[in-house]
Amino acid sequence: MSGGYDSDFLRAGLELPSPSETTVLLDYIHFSVRLRPDRKLAAIVGVNINGGELDPLAREGTWHFDSRIPKEQQAGPEVYKNNAFDRGHLVRRLDPVWGDAATAKKANQDTFAFTNAAPQIDDFNQGKQLWVGLEDHVLNHADAHDARLSVFTGPVFRDDDPPYRGVHVPRKFWKIAAWTNDAVLGAVGFVVDQTPLMDKVELEKATRERLLTDEPPPLGPFRTFQVPIEEIAGLTGLPLEALADADRLARGQRALGEKPKAILLESAEQIRL
């Protein structure tokens, strides 16, 4: 069975970015997680998607701790019990599910590791149709070439993220999809925000008051933005130079003499590829 994110999966080659903070690299079938033990969540996940071999397995899997990491360094079931938080897959369940039957089955189960989950409000996690459809749209674009994507996803960590049951809950999440066209790298980046829905969870009183008095966030529930990848680099501190250089949105906007900026997406057809 194949293990871990493969930096040579795309013809242009693409390393899994590493944060400056201490992380633990965990390899699974066709994807990898860089876990931040201090946050009990992944800082970034990277997955290789072979669109020509995807296996549409039924949603069957058991959430589990990764035995390679102490349980106290993982956001486990107690974070998600009796509340509005879903265990939001960072690597989409079906993304690494390709190859022979045994490999696909193992990849499916690997996505149910708590190291691949983040607390996401149920309405946010279940209702973000455009968010979950982004990769499909980009994969269709890549299908004319080698039908392969490398996708990176993670939370935006901030010092003032609200504490809840021993975990500071991220309010924003980002995603970058990359592909090659005749060995030339292309990439697009996206951000969504669950802040407006956080009042569904009984946060600490001081946290609730701060969220209510803060200025309205620029991203609302059920809204997805395509953003310049350099903006994601600024939000996360991740080294994303290669991806920023390949950013189709920023490249197109600069060609028109515009400063790169985020655009609100109301349908996948608006994505700048």
Side-chain angles (χ1 to χ4, degrees), residues 107-130:
N108 177 77
Q109 175 59 16
D110 277 359
T111 67
F112 285 90
F114 282 118
T115 53
N116 184 45
Q120 295 180 342
I121 296 294
D122 49 11
D123 289 340
F124 170 90
N125 183 44
Q126 298 166 19
K128 56 183 191 299
Q129 291 91 348
L130 181 56

Side-chain angles (χ1 to χ4, degrees), residues 97-154:
V97 181
W98 52 271
D100 61 67
T103 299
K105 183 176 181 179
K106 179 64 167 61
N108 177 77
Q109 175 59 16
D110 277 359
T111 67
F112 285 90
F114 282 118
T115 53
N116 184 45
Q120 295 180 342
I121 296 294
D122 49 11
D123 289 340
F124 170 90
N125 183 44
Q126 298 166 19
K128 56 183 191 299
Q129 291 91 348
L130 181 56
W131 176 247
V132 300
L134 295 174
E135 293 168 31
D136 290 336
H137 185 80
V138 179
L139 187 62
N140 289 337
H141 174 79
D143 189 49
H145 308 288
D146 59 10
R148 291 184 172 210
L149 292 180
S150 288
V151 175
F152 309 99
T153 307

Side-chain angles (χ1 to χ4, degrees), residues 16-208:
L16 176 65
S18 179
S20 58
E21 298 84 3
T22 299
T23 59
V24 178
L25 178 63
L26 300 167
D27 289 334
Y28 301 93
I29 301 300
H30 299 148
F31 72 97
S32 295
V33 170
R34 291 194 184 276
L35 181 76
R36 268 189 60 174
D38 63 321
R39 294 294 301 247
K40 302 183 183 180
L41 299 169
I44 182 174
V45 300
V47 59
N48 303 126
I49 307 173
N50 189 333
E53 297 185 22
L54 288 172
D55 188 338
L57 290 178
R59 185 183 175 88
E60 294 181 359
T62 303
W63 285 100
H64 59 280
F65 287 104
D66 189 316
S67 61
R68 296 171 291 182
I69 300 293
K71 288 184 178 180
E72 59 269 22
Q73 295 180 2
Q74 304 174 58
E78 67 282 354
V79 176
Y80 305 96
K81 187 179 299 183
N82 300 323
N83 57 32
F85 280 130
D86 278 352
R87 292 162 289 199
H89 278 79
L90 294 176
V91 168
R92 256 192 341 176
R93 182 183 67 85
L94 289 176
D95 283 355
V97 181
W98 52 271
D100 61 67
T103 299
K105 183 176 181 179
K106 179 64 167 61
N108 177 77
Q109 175 59 16
D110 277 359
T111 67
F112 285 90
F114 282 118
T115 53
N116 184 45
Q120 295 180 342
I121 296 294
D122 49 11
D123 289 340
F124 170 90
N125 183 44
Q126 298 166 19
K128 56 183 191 299
Q129 291 91 348
L130 181 56
W131 176 247
V132 300
L134 295 174
E135 293 168 31
D136 290 336
H137 185 80
V138 179
L139 187 62
N140 289 337
H141 174 79
D143 189 49
H145 308 288
D146 59 10
R148 291 184 172 210
L149 292 180
S150 288
V151 175
F152 309 99
T153 307
V156 175
F157 290 135
R158 290 178 42 168
D159 292 339
D160 62 350
D161 283 335
Y164 182 76
R165 297 184 182 178
V167 174
H168 285 77
V169 179
R171 289 173 282 181
K172 295 180 182 179
F173 293 87
W174 59 271
K175 184 187 297 289
I176 298 173
W179 68 96
T180 50
N181 181 351
D182 298 327
V184 176
L185 187 66
V188 286
F190 309 93
V191 173
V192 294
D193 191 330
Q194 67 174 348
T195 304
L197 298 170
M198 295 286 279
D199 60 359
K200 292 192 67 175
V201 177
E202 287 296 321
L203 302 171
E204 296 177 5
K205 180 179 179 181
T207 300
R208 292 200 308 272

